Every structure is written in C-alpha cells, then in structure tokens.
Amino acid sequence: MAFIKLYRKKLEENYTFLNNIFISKNIKWGVVSKLLCGNKIYLKEIIALGVTEIHDSRVSNLRKIKALDPNIQTVYIKPPAKRSIASIVKYADVSFNTEIYTIQLLSREAEKQNKIHKIIIMIEMGDLREGVMGEDLVEFYGQVLSLPNIEIRGIGTNLNCLSGVMPTQDKLIQLSLYKQLIEAKFNISIPWVSGGTSVALPLIIKNARPMEVNHFRIGEALFFGKDLFTGETIEGMHNDVFKLYTEIIEITEKPDIPTGELGENVAGNTFSMNDTEDFGGTSLRAILDIGLLDMQPQYLESDDAEISIVDASSDMLVIDISKSKKKYKIGDLVSFNIKYMGALYLLNSDYIEKTIE
C-alpha cells in the first residue's frame, strides 16, 4: 500500500503567505494546478482557498475545474494543438499563444461558440521553449489585433522551464520594454505582463521586478514553498504540503553485492561495484510497496535521515535501514518528503491513493 497525503492547513498557510505578498505589490496571480493531474479532491481544496484563476496544461483538467466552479478563470498554459482548438475555446478562458495560424483557428472557433477568447502572446527570451522572437513581436501583435473574437490579454514569457535560464531583473526589464514598445506602437494598454512562474518569486519578494510586470503563475512555490534560486525553503512557508507514505512488505539482512552474471535491470541500469564497498558485507534491507510505475526514487527524501534508497523495480522500492535507530517491522509505513517532479509522478498514478488531513 502507498498513498500521498495533502496537509490542508499547510496548503492554506502557503496560499495566504503568497496572496499577501501579491496583494501588497498589486500583482495579479493564478495557481498552476497541473501538478494535481486533474484530481478532483485536490482541485476542490485549491478552489476552497478562494482562488479565482487556475492555470493548467491539460484541457481535461480545465474541464474538471469548470465543472467544479464555472466562475474560475481558466488559463491554458501552452500553445494550443490544432486538434484541441474546440475544447480549448470551450474550457479555457485564456490560452498562451505563439503562432498566427493557431490564433486564427481560435478566432474562428470562438465565433462558432459565440465567445471572446483571450490570449497571452508568449515571447522567447532565451530559454528556447515556446515564444515569438522579439524582432517579430510588433508585426505578430499587429496581425492578431485584427482577428475577431480574440482579445489580447497580455504578453508573457517562460523562463527556467527548458534550458534553465533564470528570470533575472534584466530579463523582466526587457519584458516590460516590450510592453512599452507595443503600447506606443498601437496606442493600446496591455492589462497583463506575465513574468513567469515560481522561479521569479525571490525577485518579487526582494522588490526587484519592474512595476510593469504585474502577473505571475505560481505552482511549485505554493505546494513546496521553494526558492528556486537557492533550493531552500522560503522563510514562512512549508515544504511538506504533500507527503508520501508507503508500507514495508519485507525486511531481510542481505548481501550488499548481487551474485551471478550481471546484466541490465528493468530500468536499463547495470549494477557497478564501488572500490570502497565491503565485498563481504551485508545490510538490513526493507522493501516498500511502491515502484517505478508510480515514482522516481531520486525525487524522494525519507523523513528518517538514516534510511538510504538502494534502488527500485517496477513495483518495489528497496531501502537500507541498517543505520536507522527505529526498529521497523512488516506493515510499518515509511514517510517521504517529495520534490516537485516526484509529486508529479505520484499524483499521475492511478495506483497511489490520494488523501487529505
């Protein structure tokens, strides 16, 4: 048995911490819910916080959000696929866009559905994921302005999502200059300048963002309280809103070195012997009722600092409990703190029970 638990009070405190910061700095923000993988129990917890804007990268998740609360503003946070246009217009109030052709399709579909579809034009600023090149932005913006049933809600950028480029003050100043350029060129006002995700939070806290950058999308910081510049937990926030619990199904003293002819395991890895290892040694190993189908070991941190993770197969995780002061027995639960990507695997697994405390 294995289950993931959301601690409601810690989630509420993290949300209040962030919301107070954004309100004090006159910043609009939305919660990125893609980590929750459309789990209705957890989506209800997010909505109960008083959230008015939710971002996701799956149309199916936005559909669930609209079913739970049609008044939530839903934002689709990647360029729409051609075959998803009808669903995106139906369930997403706003979408991120980088292609004229796609926006033309959105325009036609919005006319069919008798809707105004809002878009954010994403700008490439060095991370080399999605985005219109800066030198093409003015021409691109001008073409979009003439499309019916499309409202340009703003401009934005994604940083630190692919190449690891950080959202420095200089990057956000550059983004704000694009806003000024477009407003001067077309004599319009741009409501949102969306400066990025949780990675930009330290700049906001330090008052290092330009005032024109007035919108952010926050997911990881809400659920993990993490400063993505330093890797540390932000003071005043919780890093354990989610925890993993998994049951011990075997405890046995075993050799440290496998015996027999060695080949690749199910994950494609080959055991390698370290020169410092004691070839005659043994360790007390426990097997946990969870495996690679549900998680990746590198994203788990045991609450028992004396436990080390040995390896995992598709359905089982092997840990070394030799040094632990706790006397574990069959049926005990071992708890883990989870990193963001680890939670993403776990929450996407149908085999992991989702609970709340």
Side-chain angles (χ1 to χ4, degrees):
M1 179 186 183
F3 60 92
I4 191 167
K5 182 180 287 187
L6 181 149
Y7 288 89
R8 178 182 288 143
K9 183 171 175 51
K10 292 179 179 180
L11 176 65
E12 290 173 350
E13 290 175 355
N14 277 4
Y15 176 79
T16 299
F17 180 92
L18 291 169
N19 200 42
N20 287 343
I21 288 174
F22 290 131
I23 288 174
S24 70
K25 299 180 186 299
N26 197 29
I27 294 172
K28 303 292 184 183
W29 72 295
V31 170
V32 179
S33 66
K34 64 181 178 181
L35 176 74
L36 305 180
C37 299
N39 183 279
K40 287 187 178 180
I41 295 173
Y42 291 162
L43 285 174
K44 287 179 181 178
E45 292 297 314
I46 296 298
I47 292 171
L49 296 171
V51 172
T52 59
E53 179 183 312
I54 298 181
H55 299 229
D56 211 297
S57 57
R58 298 288 186 269
V59 184
S60 57
N61 296 343
L62 297 180
R63 181 173 66 244
K64 291 176 183 178
I65 293 163
K66 282 296 189 185
L68 291 170
D69 186 345
N71 295 317
I72 296 283
Q73 177 163 256
T74 50
V75 184
Y76 184 74
I77 53 172
K78 63 180 179 180
K82 178 180 178 179
R83 290 165 181 80
S84 301
I85 293 294
S87 295
I88 288 169
V89 171
K90 185 173 183 180
Y91 298 113
D93 300 308
V94 188
S95 63
F96 288 5
N97 283 270
T98 61
E99 292 286 347
I100 291 293
Y101 175 68
T102 302
I103 302 171
Q104 289 170 341
L105 295 178
L106 290 168
S107 173
R108 292 171 201 154
E109 184 60 35
E111 284 187 285
K112 287 181 186 177
Q113 295 188 28
N114 194 27
K115 285 186 172 182
I116 300 296
H117 184 73
K118 302 170 189 174
I119 66 167
I120 302 292
I121 296 175
M122 300 299 286
I123 305 170
E124 172 57 58
M125 295 187 64
D127 201 50
L128 302 181
R129 206 177 71 170
E130 84 279 19
V132 178
M133 297 302 293
E135 58 266 29
D136 301 325
L137 180 61
V138 170
E139 181 183 354
F140 186 100
Y141 205 98
Q143 291 182 63
V144 176
L145 277 175
S146 63
L147 293 175
N149 294 70
I150 293 292
E151 176 189 326
I152 304 177
R153 187 65 185 165
I155 59 173
T157 193
N158 258 321
L159 295 166
N160 195 240
C161 291
L162 183 66
S163 302
V165 175
M166 301 302 281
T168 59
Q169 187 178 36
D170 286 345
K171 289 288 185 185
L172 295 188
I173 289 172
Q174 184 181 351
L175 184 61
S176 68
L177 290 175
Y178 283 129
K179 171 186 185 289
Q180 295 171 23
L181 173 64
I182 292 168
E183 288 183 335
K185 173 69 176 178
F186 298 104
N187 193 28
I188 58 172
S189 177
I190 298 177
W192 283 0
V193 178
S194 195
T197 57
S198 295
V199 71
L201 190 57
L203 293 178
I204 299 168
I205 293 173
K206 296 174 185 176
N207 289 316
R209 55 106 199 178
M211 295 297 289
E212 290 91 345
V213 182
N214 61 356
H215 181 270
F216 290 87
R217 301 97 60 187
I218 305 296
E220 187 166 358
L222 173 63
F223 298 115
F224 298 94
K226 191 173 182 181
D227 181 330
L228 296 176
F229 272 79
T230 65
E232 301 297 320
T233 302
I234 296 169
E235 186 177 353
M237 300 193 77
H238 300 283
N239 67 356
D240 55 353
V241 169
F242 285 109
K243 290 188 81 69
L244 170 67
Y245 296 86
T246 183
E247 187 175 331
I248 296 176
I249 56 177
E250 177 188 298
I251 299 177
T252 308
E253 187 86 21
K254 294 191 178 183
D256 291 327
I257 305 299
T259 56
E261 187 175 341
L262 297 177
E264 288 188 352
N265 65 13
V266 295
N269 301 320
T270 304
F271 181 85
S272 60
M273 289 180 276
N274 191 312
D275 291 338
T276 62
E277 285 180 307
D278 180 358
F279 290 93
T282 63
S283 55
L284 187 62
R285 295 187 171 200
I287 296 179
L288 304 180
D289 191 19
I290 193 171
L292 296 174
L293 275 170
D294 313 303
M295 59 85 218
Q296 293 292 310
Q298 66 266 34
Y299 301 124
L300 304 182
E301 296 176 347
S302 173
D303 287 336
D304 184 341
E306 302 305 322
I307 284 177
S308 61
I309 293 175
V310 178
D311 209 344
S313 63
S314 57
D315 296 300
M316 288 177 272
L317 177 66
V318 179
I319 59 174
D320 184 340
I321 58 174
S322 303
K323 297 178 181 178
S324 177
K325 297 178 180 64
K326 183 175 178 179
K327 300 301 180 184
Y328 289 97
K329 60 185 183 300
I330 302 300
D332 282 353
L333 291 173
V334 179
S335 59
F336 294 88
N337 265 358
I338 319 163
K339 297 180 182 179
Y340 179 86
M341 288 303 298
L344 197 60
Y345 279 100
L346 290 161
L347 286 161
N348 197 42
S349 174
D350 291 336
Y351 303 112
I352 301 297
E353 184 181 354
K354 285 78 177 178
T355 64
I356 296 172
E357 181 176 305

